[in-house]
Amino acid sequence: MIMTKKIVFATGNAGKVKEIRMILADLGMEVLSMKEAGIRLDIEEDGTTYEENALIKARAVAAHTDAIVMADDSGLEVDALNKEPGVYSARYLGEDTPYSIKNAEIIKRLEGLEGEQRSARFVCAIAAVFPDKSEVTTRATIEGQIGFEEKGTNGFGYDPIFYVPEFGKTTAELTEEEKNQVSHRGKALELMKKELMRYEESHCSK
Ligand code: IMP
């Protein structure tokens, strides 16, 4: 199916825009960052769930364009830490604190725990606001364990301590393509792709 609609992705992160372009490539849709769409907004993410935060961002941008708007929100949940840092993952120990320090602190807080006791997951919710103002969200996760030391230099954030037993590697040791295929964000985007196709089909047949 070839569609020609525009999608504005509510993020300032060029990496996310690149990833979504790759995943949606076969739909033939033009994916623009907020900046490329000429939209400058400082959006406060004050929701208490990933879905709420993604919707807050998508709705704020949708007020400025007739394009389809998408936004994501994600985080790391460590079971032994009561699912912290969760929706506060970016702000954990301070927004500007280097991830080497955040990662070392999580490893320290899990001292004495082994195997399944170190279980964790990355969660991603994606929200879309369509031109008719209808909304949809998708969510996906990747399960793993917190490692005993940082490993790997790919990716970002908590990737060097997020060990995926099925690969025997951290997500910082996976290539970009490998990570996109199994990651919370990659899988949530695949689900969103189905929602986009559903929206287009229902609106073309009207
Ligand atoms: P946001 O979704 O851009 O608000 O990001 C939330 C935060 O969760 C990031 O700043 C990272 O700390 C963490 N995070 C989300 N996804 C990943 C990932 O794929 N790798 C490493 N850290 C992640």
Side-chain angles (χ1 to χ4, degrees), residues 11 13 16 45 50 53 57 72-76 85-91 95 99 102 122-124 142 155-160 162 171 179 183-185:
T11 183
N13 182 328
K16 286 188 185 174
E45 298 175 34
Y50 303 102
N53 277 337
K57 290 182 262 190
D72 77 334
D73 195 58
S74 54
L76 172 71
V87 282
Y88 306 105
S89 289
R91 288 163 274 174
E95 187 111 33
Y99 274 88
K102 301 190 195 211
F122 279 129
V123 183
C124 177
I142 174 172
F156 66 101
Y158 301 102
D159 280 324
F162 190 79
T171 41
K179 188 181 165 195
S183 79
H184 49 316
R185 195 170 301 101

Side-chain angles (χ1 to χ4, degrees), residues 152-166:
T153 52
N154 300 333
F156 66 101
Y158 301 102
D159 280 324
I161 59 165
F162 190 79
Y163 176 79
V164 188
E166 64 182 288

Side-chain angles (χ1 to χ4, degrees), residues 23-71:
I23 291 173
L24 302 184
D26 55 334
L27 294 184
M29 298 180 92
E30 191 184 355
V31 182
L32 303 174
S33 65
M34 273 167 68
K35 193 173 160 197
E36 288 164 339
I39 301 170
R40 276 168 189 267
L41 290 173
D42 197 11
I43 307 163
E44 198 186 341
E45 298 175 34
D46 55 3
T48 55
T49 65
Y50 303 102
E51 281 82 0
E52 263 176 44
N53 277 337
L55 277 168
I56 287 170
K57 290 182 262 190
R59 285 174 186 153
V61 174
H64 296 265
T65 174
D66 289 330
I68 296 171
V69 177
M70 285 171 44

